[in-house]
Amino acid sequence: MIHKWLNADRNKLTRDRNQSRAKGNTTKFGEFEQLEDKRLLAFVSFFNGVTLELTQFIDDGDALVENSTGEWTVTDNAGTQTFFVSPTNLIVNMLDNTANQLDLMIEMPHAGDVELNLGDGVRDVFFTGTLNEIGDDLTITAGDGIQQVTLTGDTAAAMIVRGSVDIDLGQDFDSVFSNAGVTTIEDDLFLTNVNEFEYSLMVGLPGPPLVPGDVTIDVSGEDIESFLIPLGGATIYGDFTYLGNVSIDNVDLTGAAVTGDVIVDLNLGNPFLGSAQNVLVDGVVEGDVIITAGDSNLGNDNYLGGQFLGNIVSYTGGNKVDTIVYEMDGLQAD
């Protein structure tokens, strides 16, 4: 009986389908659109319960990633898509060689880490939120190509990172701009392969108790002229270390207050560039000051001023004529 009922039902379905086809019936099981007429968002997402990872797989223009509703949303030329989670951590992976700009707009509190993987190629990154606060660590990595990272957009709040900041922008001339306001980093700051750093920042916390935060800038893996440029000075509750490359290094710590040591190693200056290497330390350094200048085509120019409160002020020059202006408490020596 059961077998007969199933066969009867199957025959009915078969007959109905054949009749519909014979009559030219156009009834469909749902509506379908041509794929080429349907634009797809350029990002896919993966959420493991803690971390939301957004990966760009199509070049569909500049991307805005923001959390104004408490949930992360991506907007590009294809439209806007909201990912219905409020994750602890956020990862954004950009497609190589698209030159798409990435805006990260933090409007609501974000408790955990932010990781941006910029890929190869030209890329601009702006932090444009009216809160602009990261609850833990910020990590930015990139490959070949010219990348620029602006930590505070023109109308954004000054950036606050409750953990550490680690930025490695790969080869070619890359820049990080602090822009308006003081960027506050409550742990350490690491910059690798960043050839231009325009800064106004506080690293570590004064306490009590004091929370130390070191600054390490390492361009030793490149051969491009590099610049450290103060916008509003720096307060560093720890050590400052600069590792130069085989081109020309320009290190300017005007107005800096450093509770630890200042260590600068300029490496070798490029013998084919017609400019001297430069170190300018004009602030308050509570630890030691140790400068290794290395060889340079036109020597090295140095200004050491302000207050040095440590036990050692050491300078090691190169194979050319180096100039040191040393000025403390109104006394000047060349």
Side-chain angles (χ1 to χ4, degrees):
M1 176 67 76
I2 294 175
H3 177 72
K4 182 178 180 182
W5 179 84
L6 286 174
N7 283 338
D9 204 38
R10 183 186 307 148
N11 291 335
K12 180 179 184 301
L13 290 173
T14 303
R15 288 194 301 271
D16 289 346
R17 186 164 59 245
N18 291 337
Q19 291 170 2
S20 295
R21 185 178 301 163
K23 294 177 181 178
N25 195 323
T26 58
T27 302
K28 303 184 180 72
F29 295 100
E31 296 295 328
F32 297 91
E33 300 178 29
Q34 293 181 349
L35 183 60
E36 59 268 24
D37 293 335
K38 181 69 173 177
R39 299 196 65 185
L40 302 174
L41 192 74
F43 286 80
V44 295
S45 67
F46 175 77
F47 181 56
N48 64 4
V50 177
T51 300
L52 173 64
E53 184 168 5
L54 305 175
T55 300
Q56 184 188 34
F57 70 101
I58 296 173
D59 180 3
D60 212 342
D62 297 342
L64 168 65
V65 180
E66 57 95 10
N67 71 340
S68 59
T69 63
E71 300 165 333
W72 286 98
T73 296
V74 177
T75 301
D76 60 17
N77 288 342
T80 298
Q81 182 173 345
T82 299
F83 300 92
F84 297 97
V85 292
S86 182
T88 300
N89 305 315
L90 175 69
I91 300 174
V92 181
N93 304 312
M94 300 296 289
L95 185 65
D96 288 337
N97 300 311
T98 64
N100 296 151
Q101 177 177 303
L102 172 63
D103 284 6
L104 187 68
M105 181 182 293
I106 301 176
E107 301 280 277
M108 302 286 286
H110 177 72
D113 300 336
V114 171
E115 179 180 335
L116 307 180
N117 298 307
L118 307 183
D120 292 333
V122 175
R123 182 90 64 208
D124 287 339
V125 178
F126 293 89
F127 290 82
T128 56
T130 56
L131 181 64
N132 216 15
E133 181 175 325
I134 295 172
D136 209 334
D137 298 334
L138 170 64
T139 303
I140 304 175
T141 59
D144 294 341
I146 298 173
Q147 290 97 22
Q148 294 186 355
V149 176
T150 301
L151 297 175
T152 302
D154 291 337
T155 60
M159 169 166 279
I160 299 174
V161 179
R162 300 297 181 186
S164 63
V165 173
D166 191 343
I167 302 176
D168 183 347
L169 297 184
Q171 298 300 301
D172 292 310
F173 188 87
D174 305 306
S175 304
V176 174
F177 302 113
S178 176
N179 221 0
V182 177
T183 296
T184 299
I185 301 167
E186 296 186 358
D187 206 327
D188 298 325
L189 169 62
F190 302 94
L191 298 181
T192 305
N193 299 318
V194 174
N195 307 104
E196 181 181 20
F197 181 36
E198 296 186 9
Y199 64 90
S200 176
L201 64 111
M202 181 176 74
V203 180
L205 292 174
L210 184 145
V211 178
D214 297 332
V215 174
T216 302
I217 301 175
D218 185 356
V219 293
S220 60
E222 295 195 302
D223 58 357
I224 299 172
E225 185 169 8
S226 299
F227 302 86
L228 182 63
I229 303 170
L231 295 179
T235 301
I236 301 170
Y237 294 101
D239 297 332
F240 172 87
T241 302
Y242 182 93
L243 304 176
N245 60 33
V246 295
S247 185
I248 303 299
D249 294 287
N250 303 275
V251 181
D252 190 344
L253 289 176
T254 298
V258 183
T259 65
D261 299 333
V262 170
I263 301 171
V264 177
D265 185 349
L266 295 181
N267 208 322
L268 301 177
N270 190 326
F272 302 106
L273 291 180
S275 58
Q277 303 207 89
N278 298 278
V279 177
L280 197 159
V281 182
D282 187 7
V284 178
V285 180
E286 297 183 21
D288 297 335
V289 177
I290 301 173
I291 300 173
T292 303
D295 298 338
S296 179
N297 182 40
L298 293 182
N300 305 282
D301 291 335
N302 305 272
Y303 178 88
L304 306 179
Q307 299 180 53
F308 296 165
L309 306 177
N311 297 316
I312 299 172
V313 176
S314 172
Y315 180 84
T316 302
N319 64 347
K320 299 292 183 178
V321 177
D322 293 347
T323 300
I324 302 175
V325 175
Y326 183 74
E327 187 172 11
M328 295 289 168
D329 298 326
L331 302 176
Q332 178 171 314
D334 292 339

